[in-house]
Amino acid sequence: SEEDFTKTVDESCEAIFKASRTLGRKEMQLVKVQQQTGFFLALDMSGCSTPEALRRYGVGHLSYSGQVDMMYKMHEMRSRIIKNPKFDGSRVVAAILFEGTIDSQIGGLPSATYLWEQKRVVPFLKIDMGLAEERNGVQLMKEIPALDDVLDRGMAAGIFGTKGRSMIRHLDQQGIKAVVQQQFDIARRVLAKG
């Protein structure tokens, strides 16, 4: 009937319209971060925390020689975790990576690409360089001298977002104000990169 034909054409046009509005990678990641339940996995161990993380994973200090070898062992550990079949985007919303990880590969792909394309886990990048000494009850982030370069590399590697950690240790209005100011100053620089 004409009514059935019109209904079929209408449904087909609607399906074509919806398909033509497919979200891009960044938009899909944004929806996932905003709406999915799950957790962010911190895989951003850097030089200071790596020996302890490796020890807990069963890799003692005699298993590597020097900083470069230690970081290689750390990447092997991250890769093993990420490649595990139980690690996927149904449980893990995002993974926070250490800067050196964005230059490494997992399964023959750049780390951030592997996370998203193979696991549907949104890649974030740790941008802070550790914490400064405590002052006014807080620890601000240390200066990030090459922030623009790190952000550019992260964008090129497919990183979605960033993490920069400060620490509030005691209730101190001046200290908390300094933390908030620093976080917003850095956030403006990050957002300016896209």
Side-chain angles (χ1 to χ4, degrees), residues 18-53:
K18 285 180 181 177
S20 71
R21 299 188 65 217
T22 302
L23 296 176
R25 176 181 49 89
K26 284 276 192 189
E27 292 80 12
M28 286 191 290
Q29 291 172 340
L30 179 61
V31 168
K32 183 175 180 87
V33 168
Q34 288 176 330
Q35 297 180 5
Q36 183 180 323
T37 57
F39 60 95
F40 281 50
L41 180 62
L43 295 172
D44 59 341
M45 292 70 85
S46 59
C48 296
S49 58
T50 298
E52 178 62 16

Side-chain angles (χ1 to χ4, degrees), residues 4 21 33 48 57 65 84 92 103 107 117 133 144 146 160 171:
D4 289 336
R21 299 188 65 217
V33 168
C48 296
Y57 183 65
S65 59
N84 185 289
V92 182
D103 299 323
E117 290 182 3
E133 293 296 317
I144 310 170
F160 173 79
L171 183 60

Side-chain angles (χ1 to χ4, degrees), residues 108-179:
L109 295 171
S111 297
T113 302
Y114 186 91
L115 277 169
W116 181 247
E117 290 182 3
Q118 302 299 314
K119 298 294 187 158
R120 284 298 188 241
V121 172
V122 180
F124 276 70
L125 178 63
K126 174 188 184 245
I127 59 171
D128 69 83
M129 300 303 214
L131 297 171
E133 293 296 317
E134 184 176 333
R135 184 170 176 224
N136 297 325
V138 302
Q139 288 180 273
L140 297 173
M141 288 180 273
K142 289 181 180 176
E143 192 65 31
I144 310 170
L147 179 59
D148 289 330
D149 177 56
V150 170
L151 294 173
D152 289 340
R153 288 178 44 233
M155 291 286 292
I159 295 293
F160 173 79
T162 62
K163 169 213 156 192
R165 179 177 66 113
S166 305
M167 182 74 69
I168 298 173
R169 297 203 174 271
H170 306 286
L171 183 60
D172 181 291
Q173 188 174 4
Q174 185 178 356
I176 293 170
K177 185 177 179 181
V179 165

